[in-house]
Amino acid sequence: MADECILRFENVSMHFDGDDAPALDRVSFNLMAGETIVLFGAAGAGKTVLLKLAVGLLRPVSGRILLFGRDVTELREQEWYAMRARAGILFQEGGLFDSMTIEENVSYPMLNQKLVEIAPEEVHRRVEEVLQFVGLPQTMDKFPSELSGGMRRRVGIARATVTHPKLLMYDSPTAGLDPITANRIIALLIKERELRNTASMIVTHRFQDGHMLATFRYNPQTDKVLEASPEQREKLHTRFFVMKDGRLVFEGTEEELDKSTDPYISKFTMQRV
Amino acid sequence: MFDFLKPPVLSFQEYLALAGRATQNVVRRPFYGQDVLLQMDTIGVGSIPITILIGFFSGAVMALQMSRALAQYGASGEVGKITAITLVRELGPVLTALLVAGRNASGIASELGSMKVTEQIDAMRALGTDPIKKLVTPRLIALCIMLPLLTVLADFIGLFGGYMVGVPLLRLTTGAQYWMSSYQSLEFNDLGQGLLKPFVFAYIIASVGCFFGMRTTGGTQGVGRATTQAVVVASVWIFVIDIVMTRIFLWIAT
Ligand SMILES: Nc1ncnc2c1ncn2[C@@H]1O[C@H](COP(=O)(O)OP(=O)(O)OP(=O)(O)O)[C@@H](O)[C@H]1O
Ligand SMILES: [Mg+2]
């Protein structure tokens, strides 16, 4: 694994006008290439705010953010467009454009993102390929409103990954889904990170998602996601973060998370099925 | 001491910033021509039936009201002139603008508001497009083109409404004289006023609608709030700007 730092937060704080408490309180961490961070936290803990800060959709009130080694804290919106092309994000509320078809949605980043250079005749093929990847090849001409929640989530993943960004962030990809669909989505994330060695950050409320990410591998020969042997697990580089009221209160491996005796932190492991 | 003034002043600053950026984008690449055409269709073409309806009745009622007043001075023949002047200078621009504000400031605010709360605006920024360029500027351009046209339409239909009341119904004057006096009464100043007003109103409607849409927070409830605010604020500003512009044109004319 290259020791390239993909995303770095240094004492980042965020405060919204009119709120008493900060939404993010002096958060620091590093996300290295090939690494996965699973982010837990109660509603309102600041998980979404953290992801949006990372791609400049919000501006921190203090601290420093480095994306791909570049200080982006003071970047102007126009300069951000080039940086964002290297990061993919799945939004909690979906963020699919509901006036556009699935094909238009998925091709949107290829046609609009700066620095992404894909020949126009290539675009259609890439859309087909990525929809195949998420298992929705038949939906091209449908509108988001015609799909189920789980299908929309997968279209969102397709749109976030279609340009093969080096950093992928998924905000609650499994929230509100049945366990079968949820596992299927996590399997997709595992497949994506394995094939492209992306750094990923996954917000979730389900411990099981984190457990899968920490212990499962994708096997290209059989096209299946399987439990990895203990020595392989080391290579998955999955870390767990827990947030509470805007602060990062835990940072460590799955084992350390399991051992934690803090009542708030252990709440996230006790949901284990 | 003036703390209570802070939120409205800040909002107004934000509004000016948005309107300013949207206006600059009119001459900046990339241009989203497709979106402009789409908006011209939904905002402009979609408003034609109601504009015709309102135009006709406002002209008709104008002529009806004036018929008595004019008769007192023995000037019934002037009905065309009165209708033309009030319509072109005042009623056409203001009524059409209010109508379009009710129909489209709300439409724009609720559309952008829903996009905001479902993170489509964030997604747009994350995927490389400036939502002000892609969403606000096309609406601004579309309205600034369509509202003057709609106003002209309302004026003509209104004159026709006045004719229907004045000539076949009340027989105040002859058809030829009606059209002649209305045509002759209009000066260049009136036409300028009649076209510049809707242009400015269009700018207000589009920018206010977009402003409230883009700053929506708080889920679907927030969308409802944004919609109402957009219509109220746009309508109030239309009246305020109308009186200011009328004053300026009167001053120019003298
Ligand atoms: N645009 C905003 N304006 C004002 N306050 C905000 C905004 N976005 C988030 N907040 C506040 O910041 C805090 C953190 O919100 P955030 O959305 O990050 O929570 P979360 O951890 O993602 O929760 P959930 O699990 O429910 O998605 C909350 O108190 C929220 O009210
Ligand atoms: Mg969230």
Side-chain angles (χ1 to χ4, degrees), chain B residues 7-24:
Chain B
V9 170
L10 281 179
S11 298
F12 191 62
Q13 267 179 0
E14 276 173 46
Y15 165 77
L16 289 182
L18 177 83
R21 281 180 58 195
T23 313
Q24 285 174 1

Side-chain angles (χ1 to χ4, degrees), chain A residues 52 77 81 93 108 113, chain B residues 119-120 122 125-126 129-130:
Chain A
K52 286 190 179 172
E77 182 77 7
Y81 287 118
E93 306 291 339
Y108 199 90
Q113 224 147 29
Chain B
E119 294 183 319
Q120 290 179 56
D122 279 330
R125 289 170 65 199
T129 29
D130 181 352

